[in-house]
Amino acid sequence: MSDPHTPEEVKNTETTTATSSSDRPAPPAAATPVAAPADANSVVGEILGDEPTRKRRPEPTSIVIFGATGDLASRKLAPALYNVMVDGGLKEPTVIIGVSRRPLPVAQFAAKLKDGVTQFSRQKLEPAKWDKFASMLDYVGGEFGDDKMYETLKARLEAAQAKGTKGNRVFYLSTPPSEFPKILKKLEEHKLIEREVQRPGIPSCRIIVEKPFGRDLKTARELNEMIGSYVDESQIYRIDHYLGKETVQNILVLRFGNSIFEPLWNRNHIDYVEITAAEEIGIGGRGAFYEATGVVRDIIQNHLLQVMSLVTMEVPASFAADDIRDEKSQLLRSIRDLTLNEVANDCIRGQYRGYRREEGVAKDSQTPTYAAMRFFIDSWRWQGVPFYLRAGKKMTERLTEVAIHFKSVPLVLFKEEAAGSVLQPAVLTLRIQPHEGISLRFVAKVPGENISVGNVVMNMTYADAFKRPISEAYERLILDCMRGDATLFNRRDSVDRAWELIQPVLQVWEATPGVLPYEPGTDGPPAAAAMIERDGHSWKELTKPEPK
Ligand code: BG6
């Protein structure tokens, strides 16, 4: 079995050997790393109650992508739809209509998407399959405020309906939010959308809205009001692609599908929790976007608070969309608001050196590319447990994970034998990416006559356990929207509450300069380590990936 985690494992598999007071021979003074045999950590997955994509195929639908010549369409949406088609997840006829300002023959639009699929698809592009995918494509060019464009779009949708899409429509708004009002107004005027509670038996009409969903509480509320004035909440699918990631979905299965975790999942047993989203990449060519966004709006307000709510929410009444979303929303409401003082003293903002030289970035920019902050949850389950969230660009490695640190044992029984040793408490890590999986670090006795203890890591990776490729988040999310399953999409109340939670951070940071520089390829500004160390804790160290 190839194990991508060998470096971490070896690092964590340290023995702590005590100087024995017994008459046994004294053990070697230095700790010796004990590497587990290569297959010692294998976990074999047995698939229970599998529901192949094919069985849950949505009804034939027209998918209209506004902003179809943009980056998201070629990097994420086209590869996702191509993979879903290859996996047999789409019923015929499915029609994909690209809409963008530029007039473009459909063949050129297809060629553009083909580049994206070639570069970014998880499954290799195969000519015959691509031809089939290309036959599903259509394109309408024109200004988003131009009536003619909507007349053409209407004609194309009617043609799709005549082919068999039964009037089912998804409008994917992959444009800057400033375009949404114009697009929705025109769609309504041309009777391409109408407000209707979505239910089985009627043609579906849904709207997918990309993040960022507003830029603060006020603008998010205005955006919600505006969209809500055209369509019903059941028609709105606010995307947070983190929720489509396998490992994020597995948080609930791990917690509520196993009876061994839930009794420990509270303040009695958990010391603290780290949630990390570290990226090796910088801001790419997105200087202007990033200047207006920054890491708090880009990652913490949405992705990390969503992950935190799944890790900490109460047991839902069922796995139905609103039961899960009710619990998430309830949890977000019980996160304690940060005071302005706490933001000033305990929240850390950093900016990688060189950021100010990126295209589209101000020479004196104060935009944070790194942030670390601590939240508490005022609930019986979580009272007093700190949750440390950090996210950054240009860091040591690409790693997104949740590390749940359990409390130390109350009494070290073999104290004398282990004198001076560091018995590290158990850590359960939910690795969201890369090498998706779960690992548990715990203490074990090193074989031998002495009471020597070592930290060992048990690893489960999806790739090894189930021998199945992991699909991309967008594949799952687009399919779910077509099926009318909103479980993995954000509801309005959660979006508002997440903005409310980070509002004090935005307020203080935007009013006072003070972003701390950090070197690219590091774990962020040293002040972030100092912040968590003040509480007697420490971040898990990020490790450089092995050279390829
Ligand atoms: C996006 C952010 O939402 O998530 C990007 O806008 C970030 O800045 C990306 O790079 C990270 O997503 P993933 O799936 O690569 O972790």
Side-chain angles (χ1 to χ4, degrees):
M1 183 181 87
S2 77
D3 186 349
H5 291 281
T6 307
E8 187 194 348
E9 219 163 87
V10 171
K11 193 180 78 198
N12 284 330
T13 314
E14 293 158 351
T15 59
T16 307
T17 309
T19 314
S20 173
S21 58
S22 73
D23 52 4
R24 290 180 216 126
T32 323
V34 177
D39 62 355
N41 294 312
S42 64
V43 175
V44 179
E46 181 194 353
I47 297 171
L48 307 167
D50 189 30
E51 195 173 15
T53 315
R54 206 174 276 278
K55 278 202 193 144
R56 296 187 62 218
R57 288 192 300 180
E59 287 304 303
T61 303
S62 295
I63 305 163
V64 180
I65 303 174
F66 280 85
T69 53
D71 212 38
L72 186 81
S74 43
R75 290 173 80 97
K76 297 286 186 190
L77 308 185
L81 286 163
Y82 173 78
N83 280 295
V84 168
M85 182 209 76
V86 169
D87 290 347
L90 296 177
K91 271 191 195 165
E92 290 191 35
T94 296
V95 176
I96 302 166
I97 308 176
V99 177
S100 211
R101 289 202 178 84
R102 252 188 290 165
L104 217 58
V106 68
Q108 263 184 49
F109 172 59
K112 188 166 167 44
L113 295 191
K114 190 174 182 183
D115 281 352
V117 174
T118 310
Q119 276 188 68
F120 303 110
S121 165
R122 71 179 164 83
Q123 303 186 74
K124 219 167 155 276
L125 185 136
E126 286 178 35
K129 290 181 179 155
W130 173 259
D131 289 346
K132 182 167 162 41
F133 185 75
S135 73
M136 293 159 44
L137 298 177
D138 199 350
Y139 183 81
V140 179
E143 290 296 326
F144 296 150
D146 178 9
D147 286 308
K148 276 213 190 77
M149 194 273 276
Y150 292 88
E151 282 159 21
T152 315
L153 178 59
K154 189 171 191 172
R156 302 293 171 84
L157 281 168
E158 282 165 1
Q161 187 166 350
K163 276 196 212 161
T165 58
K166 302 177 192 159
N168 296 320
R169 285 147 293 162
V170 168
F171 295 96
Y172 199 120
L173 304 189
S174 168
T175 66
S178 53
E179 302 287 353
F180 296 173
K182 204 188 295 173
I183 295 172
L184 290 173
K185 182 165 176 285
K186 288 291 170 199
L187 286 174
E188 187 194 49
E189 281 173 12
H190 289 266
K191 304 213 174 345
L192 296 172
I193 54 171
E194 66 262 355
R195 168 192 298 280
E196 193 157 29
V197 176
Q198 296 295 283
R199 56 183 191 281
I202 60 163
S204 62
C205 171
R206 304 189 177 107
I207 290 173
I208 303 184
V209 188
E210 258 299 328
K211 73 173 257 289
F213 202 79
R215 53 171 288 104
D216 54 19
L217 182 59
K218 181 171 171 289
T219 50
R221 281 194 175 141
E222 286 165 4
L223 192 57
N224 272 320
E225 286 298 323
M226 189 278 298
I227 300 178
S229 70
Y230 292 103
V231 286
D232 182 72
E233 178 65 24
S234 63
Q235 298 176 275
I236 308 171
Y237 286 68
R238 298 176 192 83
I239 223 165
D240 180 326
H241 78 280
Y242 260 53
L243 296 178
K245 290 181 190 278
E246 276 293 339
T247 19
V248 172
Q249 291 166 47
N250 191 42
I251 295 172
L252 294 187
V253 176
L254 177 85
R255 289 187 57 198
F256 305 132
N258 298 290
S259 61
I260 57 170
F261 296 113
E262 206 43 27
L264 303 180
W265 217 258
N266 55 52
R267 68 193 157 91
N268 297 327
H269 301 281
I270 293 178
D271 195 12
Y272 68 103
V273 177
E274 282 174 76
I275 306 181
T276 298
E279 295 183 86
E280 255 189 297
I281 54 165
I283 55 161
R286 304 192 301 162
F289 160 80
Y290 206 81
E291 275 289 89
T293 309
V295 66
V296 180
R297 290 188 177 92
D298 195 35
I299 304 282
I300 297 186
Q301 186 272 344
N302 33 71
H303 304 330
L304 291 200
L305 284 175
Q306 285 298 319
V307 170
M308 178 171 164
S309 63
L310 290 171
V311 170
T312 53
M313 66 184 244
E314 292 300 322
V315 190
S318 80
F319 258 38
D322 269 329
D323 285 340
I324 292 181
R325 301 197 304 175
D326 284 348
E327 290 304 338
K328 274 171 55 189
S329 176
Q330 169 79 9
L331 184 282
L332 288 168
R333 286 207 302 278
S334 33
I335 298 180
R336 191 184 305 162
D337 289 306
L338 295 167
T339 63
L340 300 184
N341 262 344
E342 281 167 337
V343 175
N345 300 325
D346 295 336
C347 296
I348 307 298
R349 51 180 149 160
Q351 187 186 72
Y352 63 81
R353 282 195 200 281
Y355 172 73
R356 293 176 185 181
R357 291 195 299 276
E358 304 267 16
E359 205 186 316
V361 171
K363 296 284 163 276
D364 56 353
S365 170
Q366 284 291 319
T367 305
T369 60
Y370 172 96
M373 56 193 71
R374 183 188 60 188
F375 285 107
F376 285 99
I377 299 173
D378 285 328
S379 70
W380 275 32
R381 186 192 280 266
W382 294 116
Q383 196 62 31
V385 179
F387 288 80
Y388 301 97
L389 274 50
R390 63 173 166 169
K393 298 265 185 206
K394 288 252 179 173
M395 297 191 58
T396 317
E397 67 168 329
R398 174 172 184 253
L399 178 78
T400 305
E401 66 174 29
V402 180
I404 295 154
H405 295 255
F406 288 89
K407 289 192 169 169
S408 308
V409 288
L411 178 71
V412 181
L413 291 176
F414 29 89
K415 226 186 315 201
E416 276 186 22
E417 287 86 346
S421 69
V422 189
L423 262 195
Q424 293 181 357
V427 182
L428 179 70
T429 302
L430 317 180
R431 216 169 23 244
I432 292 169
Q433 62 191 21
H435 315 310
E436 293 77 356
I438 295 171
S439 70
L440 179 65
R441 188 191 76 188
F442 58 101
V443 163
K445 180 183 175 300
V446 180
E449 287 182 38
N450 304 311
I451 302 279
S452 304
V453 290
N455 293 316
V456 287
V457 179
M458 230 162 52
N459 260 326
M460 180 289 272
T461 64
Y462 279 89
D464 288 331
F466 293 110
K467 307 274 184 265
R468 275 210 182 165
I470 296 187
S471 58
E472 286 284 331
Y474 277 93
E475 297 173 33
R476 170 70 194 263
L477 293 173
I478 296 173
L479 271 181
D480 273 3
C481 172
M482 291 165 75
R483 290 178 189 125
D485 181 349
T487 313
L488 303 177
F489 293 82
N490 277 332
R491 211 169 54 185
R492 179 176 176 165
D493 48 351
S494 289
V495 173
D496 281 2
R497 177 62 186 146
W499 278 117
E500 234 166 52
L501 283 167
I502 62 140
Q503 203 61 41
V505 181
L506 299 177
Q507 190 181 329
V508 174
W509 288 2
E510 289 176 0
T512 49
V515 73
L516 303 166
Y518 63 95
E519 295 303 326
T522 64
D523 287 7
M531 178 269 265
I532 189 169
E533 279 160 17
R534 283 200 289 279
D535 294 349
H537 301 134
S538 56
W539 297 110
K540 272 183 78 182
E541 201 185 325
L542 303 174
T543 46
K544 279 239 175 303
E546 294 278 273
K548 299 200 174 83

